Amino acid sequence: MSIGEKLDRIATRVEELKHALAHADGSGIAALSRELAELEPIAERVAAIRATERASADAEAMLADPELRDLADAELVDLRARLPALQHEARLALLPKDEADARSAILEIRPAAGGDEAGLFAAELFRAYQRFSESEGWRFSVLDYDESELGGIKGATAEIEGRGVFARLKYESGVHRVQRVPATESQGRIHTSTVTVAVLPEAEEVDVAINDAELRIDTYRASGAGGQHVNKTDSAVRITHIPTGIVVAMQEEKSQHKNRAKAMKVLRARIFDMQRQAAQSARAADRRAQVGTGDRSERIRTYNFPQGRVTDHRIGLTLHRIERVMQGEFREIVDALAAEEQAALLAAEGA
């Protein structure tokens, strides 16, 4: 079936849905409304394409009239330039959707190789994502922040709320490498450290069924750098999901109840992400996306401070403004990664 036939079928289906909703007696309204909400934007693009095609045909007919030829020529130039863009938008709208794209996200950052320097960079990267989130109008809430002795972190977790957060940030999952001279380096040697980033779609209770009998919950006294966050009660919580082996620990709050609620939110997101990754691996076993596998063991980006550059290795993008990126200016990188995935999907659909 051609792209044009697919688009016309969607336009017809939208009219059928509108008619069905107008005469619905209450049963099935929710399902019909969801389908209409998904297809109507595509139908609007179809209508724009067809209107442009009709206008082009009318302008071509006007060319036969000497008095209207100049006007028709100018209009045809505009219409012929507009049509490919509309057709491209329609093709993008037809691409398979990731159902998690519209969701909020859980961000987890952990230092990997590099000792104290990795912990320091992990803290800086966490703050950079916070600034980017704020610039996008999202709500950034720290769930857990385990600070190290030198001002770095042992790990940090945040909830980022907003429509489409996961769609924008999902490509950030992976190993981020930093190359720079640490403040503690007396010889001026450049060190290489790594940090792992995980971006998980936020899961609702209905997405993941968790049986309390499958959980082991341990409580302990919170600890932190220089005695921070320390209290005299067992407020910190560690939850182990026995079937998967996933462990989540929270100690940010002084309330055991609040730490448990936060830990369950992260646990739910990790289990949901594990299920999604398994399903995606099964569907895409024969194809590797151009933006990478999404495997968090994969090195995706290098931050080279002596050269002032940030390089995303998946798409070969290099920006020579590292300070601005570390202030949260990720938009150009995020947009480029999304565009690369769209191009890969379009190529696959056309194959």
Side-chain angles (χ1 to χ4, degrees):
M1 184 187 302
S2 70
I3 293 291
E5 289 172 330
K6 287 182 182 179
L7 293 172
D8 288 336
R9 284 196 177 189
I10 289 172
T12 300
R13 179 58 179 159
V14 165
E15 293 307 312
E16 292 172 353
L17 290 168
K18 288 179 178 179
H19 183 268
L21 280 167
H23 297 85
D25 58 2
S27 60
I29 287 181
L32 291 170
S33 297
R34 281 196 299 271
E35 187 179 357
L36 180 62
E38 181 179 340
L39 296 180
E40 199 164 27
I42 303 176
E44 290 172 357
R45 289 179 172 87
V46 176
I49 289 171
R50 298 296 176 249
T52 303
E53 290 172 340
R54 288 192 298 271
S56 294
D58 291 342
E60 286 174 356
M62 290 165 57
L63 291 173
D65 187 333
E67 294 183 1
L68 298 176
R69 185 177 299 149
D70 290 343
L71 178 63
D73 273 334
E75 189 172 356
L76 275 172
V77 169
D78 179 59
L79 291 168
R80 287 170 178 167
R82 191 187 314 163
L83 190 57
L86 291 171
Q87 292 169 334
H88 181 68
E89 288 178 7
R91 289 190 69 194
L92 290 179
L94 286 175
L95 291 176
K97 301 293 190 298
D98 184 338
E99 65 177 16
D101 276 354
R103 296 182 182 230
S104 297
I106 299 293
L107 169 71
E108 296 183 316
I109 295 183
R110 300 281 182 271
D116 291 335
E117 171 64 10
L120 289 167
F121 183 68
E124 292 171 35
L125 196 57
F126 189 75
R127 288 192 293 272
Y129 283 124
Q130 181 172 7
R131 295 185 185 104
F132 177 65
S133 299
E134 290 166 352
S135 72
E136 293 289 301
W138 302 330
R139 181 181 176 187
F140 189 98
S141 304
V142 177
L143 297 181
D144 196 52
Y145 194 88
D146 190 2
E147 193 171 5
S148 65
E149 293 290 339
L150 295 179
I153 57 173
K154 301 173 184 177
T157 306
E159 177 184 32
I160 307 175
E161 296 176 273
R163 181 163 181 81
V165 172
F166 183 68
R168 298 282 285 159
L169 287 182
K170 61 184 177 182
Y171 308 113
E172 295 303 298
S173 290
V175 176
H176 295 238
R177 181 175 68 173
V178 58
Q179 296 174 321
R180 65 182 177 184
V181 179
T184 55
E185 171 56 59
S186 59
Q187 303 298 318
R189 292 172 296 189
I190 296 173
H191 286 223
T192 298
S193 305
T194 57
V195 168
T196 61
V197 173
V199 178
L200 317 174
E202 191 162 51
E204 303 294 336
E205 289 188 29
V206 294
D207 296 317
V208 179
I210 299 178
N211 187 337
D212 287 345
E214 297 175 339
L215 300 177
R216 184 173 71 243
I217 301 176
D218 302 305
T219 58
Y220 55 98
R221 291 187 182 181
S223 61
Q228 292 180 26
H229 305 295
V230 177
N231 57 60
K232 297 180 181 180
T233 61
D234 293 343
S235 62
V237 173
R238 182 187 300 109
I239 300 179
T240 303
H241 185 243
I242 297 169
T244 61
I246 295 174
V247 179
V248 180
M250 286 287 164
Q251 65 171 29
E252 186 70 12
E253 301 288 344
K254 294 182 179 180
S255 160
Q256 184 183 120
H257 175 75
K258 289 181 179 179
N259 280 327
R260 175 169 174 162
K262 286 183 174 183
M264 286 299 296
K265 179 176 289 190
V266 175
L267 176 63
R268 197 174 294 115
R270 287 192 190 173
I271 294 174
F272 182 58
D273 184 63
M274 179 182 288
Q275 294 170 348
R276 291 181 68 258
Q277 294 283 347
Q280 288 173 354
S281 295
R283 287 195 299 268
D286 60 341
R287 190 178 79 213
R288 177 187 174 92
Q290 289 191 23
V291 293
T293 63
D295 186 343
R296 292 182 194 111
S297 66
E298 179 182 19
R299 189 193 72 198
I300 63 168
R301 193 172 300 150
T302 294
Y303 304 76
N304 187 304
F305 279 80
Q307 296 179 14
R309 64 172 172 84
V310 177
T311 299
D312 194 287
H313 303 290
R314 295 162 295 179
I315 57 175
L317 174 68
T318 295
L319 302 178
H320 291 277
R321 47 178 181 273
I322 193 168
E323 297 300 333
R324 286 167 59 184
V325 171
M326 295 308 297
Q327 288 299 313
E329 294 189 21
F330 285 102
R331 188 169 298 170
E332 185 173 351
I333 299 173
V334 169
D335 288 345
L337 288 164
E340 189 73 15
E341 185 189 39
Q342 286 180 345
L345 287 171
L346 284 171
E349 289 290 307

